[in-house]
Amino acid sequence: MIKANPMVAAMAPYALPDLSVPDGLEAIVLAQNEHAFPPSKKVQQAVIAAIATGQLYPDDNWTKLRAAISAVHGLNVNNIVCGAGSMELMSSLMLAYLSPGDRMLMTEYGYLFMRTLAKLVGASVDVAAETDYRVDVNRVLQSLQPQTRLVFVVNPGNPSGTVIHNDEIRRLRAALPEDVLLLVDEAYAEFVDAGFHEPIFDLAESGYTIITRTFSKIYGLAGARVGWGYFPSEVREQLRKVLNPSSVSSLSQAAASAAMADQSHALEASRAIAQQRDFLSAAINDLGLKVLPSQTNFILVDFVTPQQAGSAFEFLRQHRLVVRPMLGYGLPACLRITIGTAEQMQLTAATLAGWRQQPHD
Ligand SMILES: Cc1ncc(COP(=O)(O)O)c(C=O)c1O
């Protein structure tokens, strides 16, 4: 047998999530935090137009896309970097900045993929407990080690769906040593209630803070694989050395530029999703189950025991609804449900009510 990188060989096998339902049924997948609606006609047309020059490599400077992002968020185009999903940007950041012996600090329910990446580069991972499924800045600060090079925070959180106020992120940044990188994963930021808090992009202009966002969620382009981040100039320089310059295809760049330019479509989608989220949360609360307050396109439901969560998961699956178990996050009593269309949410609420009526231990 040929020898793999020992870090990789020691990892558990990659497990594809099981999204299957009984034979003959068409699955409704509410397990991936994908968008409830397909891309707009404008986005679809932009992709069709872009294939006309498909013989060329994509623009490795993402010129149009960065201009579209900058126009919406009022950012310096030079500090925007795009990648094949925000995941690629996070991987490249870790490659560029973490070495064996370094430590990364993340929070209890932070994005699991980051742990895998840290291990791959030989760094150790410290985990700060959350309080009520929320990032707790005091605990993050208490968990810092002298070797901590990178602090990773997801806001709003996944799988919690909870959000902390950006003033807390600012407090965290101010209390961290200046040369510790702070990576704030804002994959779900566009779902946060309007007026809840101001953006934190300025932190990337004044110190070692990186903010990543994605087109996979609010913009409904998970299949196109486009993410972007706002980077301090010095960090951008290092990152570009290890980032695949052609990873965002010309079709994906066209799709993302068109989606970014159509803010009213995104806003409408976000409102529709919030309405369905509130409907489903209330319906599940009415069944006597706890739902964490979410400002994202998914909710986390606490079924009290792992047995109850398992039973609800199976019942939903028998009714073609596939949701996400949370064992990997150490939350075996919880299920995460992506917010879908009104029809899908009514079906989910009715099916869970049917499950609740069954005799339970
Ligand atoms: C918290 C969080 N960060 C990052 C990502 C990755 O997003 P992308 O599709 O941009 O790689 C996800 C995807 O589900 C996510 O939930």
Side-chain angles (χ1 to χ4, degrees), residues 316-347:
L316 287 164
R317 197 221 280 270
Q318 293 304 321
H319 292 80
R320 73 192 184 106
L321 292 158
V322 184
V323 301
R324 181 57 81 95
M326 288 288 117
L327 277 78
Y329 279 93
L331 297 166
C334 294
L335 296 177
R336 194 189 68 194
I337 307 177
T338 303
I339 302 305
T341 63
E343 230 180 0
Q344 291 171 343
M345 295 302 94
Q346 276 155 23
L347 181 63

Side-chain angles (χ1 to χ4, degrees), residues 52-66:
T53 50
Q55 79 279 19
L56 305 176
Y57 278 107
D59 173 5
D60 57 4
N61 239 336
W62 323 286
T63 314
K64 262 188 156 174
L65 178 53
R66 286 191 302 140

Side-chain angles (χ1 to χ4, degrees), residues 84-87 90 111 154 158 185 187-188 214 216-217 225-227:
S86 50
M87 251 183 192
M90 294 183 211
Y111 197 36
V154 188
N158 175 16
D185 174 353
Y188 300 92
T214 183
S216 302
K217 307 299 172 185
R225 311 301 308 126
V226 193

Side-chain angles (χ1 to χ4, degrees), residues 164-246:
I164 62 164
H165 198 278
N166 273 342
D167 285 352
E168 280 295 281
I169 302 284
R170 289 182 189 281
R171 183 166 77 85
L172 172 61
R173 174 69 273 178
L176 287 174
E178 260 177 39
D179 61 352
V180 167
L181 288 167
L182 172 63
L183 168 57
V184 188
D185 174 353
E186 293 193 333
Y188 300 92
E190 295 88 351
F191 292 105
V192 173
D193 295 346
F196 179 75
H197 57 201
E198 293 295 315
I200 49 163
F201 292 116
D202 58 291
L203 292 180
E205 291 164 357
S206 58
Y208 293 121
T209 302
I210 297 111
I211 296 108
T212 53
R213 296 233 177 159
T214 183
F215 283 89
S216 302
K217 307 299 172 185
I218 189 74
Y219 296 108
L221 289 172
R225 311 301 308 126
V226 193
W228 64 277
Y230 204 48
F231 290 79
S233 307
E234 181 190 325
V235 178
R236 178 203 60 207
E237 292 305 311
Q238 300 298 334
L239 185 86
R240 287 237 56 175
K241 295 180 190 172
V242 295
L243 190 66
N244 175 354
S246 304

Side-chain angles (χ1 to χ4, degrees), residues 4-231:
N5 173 338
M7 302 285 186
V8 177
M11 288 176 187
Y14 175 66
L16 283 168
D18 181 3
L19 305 178
S20 65
V21 292
D23 280 351
L25 291 182
E26 195 185 335
I28 296 175
V29 177
L30 304 173
Q32 305 271 71
N33 293 348
E34 292 155 333
H35 205 296
F37 311 108
S40 71
K41 282 276 172 298
K42 279 185 199 165
V43 169
Q44 294 183 29
Q45 280 157 7
V47 174
I48 292 166
I51 195 65
T53 50
Q55 79 279 19
L56 305 176
Y57 278 107
D59 173 5
D60 57 4
N61 239 336
W62 323 286
T63 314
K64 262 188 156 174
L65 178 53
R66 286 191 302 140
I69 295 167
S70 155
V72 168
H73 293 284
L75 302 177
N76 181 345
V77 278
N78 297 322
N79 295 71
I80 298 170
V81 180
C82 302
S86 50
M87 251 183 192
E88 189 191 32
L89 296 172
M90 294 183 211
S91 315
S92 301
L93 184 75
M94 292 176 84
L95 270 180
Y97 280 94
L98 291 185
S99 312
D102 289 340
R103 306 189 80 90
M104 178 185 82
L105 172 59
M106 62 188 286
T107 69
E108 196 172 359
Y109 304 116
Y111 197 36
L112 276 181
F113 179 62
M114 290 294 280
R115 294 189 196 204
T116 310
L117 289 175
K119 280 188 202 152
L120 196 58
V121 293
S124 310
V125 179
D126 296 305
V127 178
E130 297 193 4
T131 303
D132 288 336
Y133 303 96
R134 272 195 170 73
V135 171
D136 182 328
V137 166
N138 290 337
R139 285 179 148 166
V140 172
L141 290 170
Q142 283 156 11
S143 309
L144 269 182
Q145 304 280 329
Q147 306 90 340
T148 306
R149 299 277 331 271
L150 173 67
V151 173
F152 173 57
V153 172
V154 188
N155 193 40
N158 175 16
S160 64
T162 59
V163 62
I164 62 164
H165 198 278
N166 273 342
D167 285 352
E168 280 295 281
I169 302 284
R170 289 182 189 281
R171 183 166 77 85
L172 172 61
R173 174 69 273 178
L176 287 174
E178 260 177 39
D179 61 352
V180 167
L181 288 167
L182 172 63
L183 168 57
V184 188
D185 174 353
E186 293 193 333
Y188 300 92
E190 295 88 351
F191 292 105
V192 173
D193 295 346
F196 179 75
H197 57 201
E198 293 295 315
I200 49 163
F201 292 116
D202 58 291
L203 292 180
E205 291 164 357
S206 58
Y208 293 121
T209 302
I210 297 111
I211 296 108
T212 53
R213 296 233 177 159
T214 183
F215 283 89
S216 302
K217 307 299 172 185
I218 189 74
Y219 296 108
L221 289 172
R225 311 301 308 126
V226 193
W228 64 277
Y230 204 48
F231 290 79

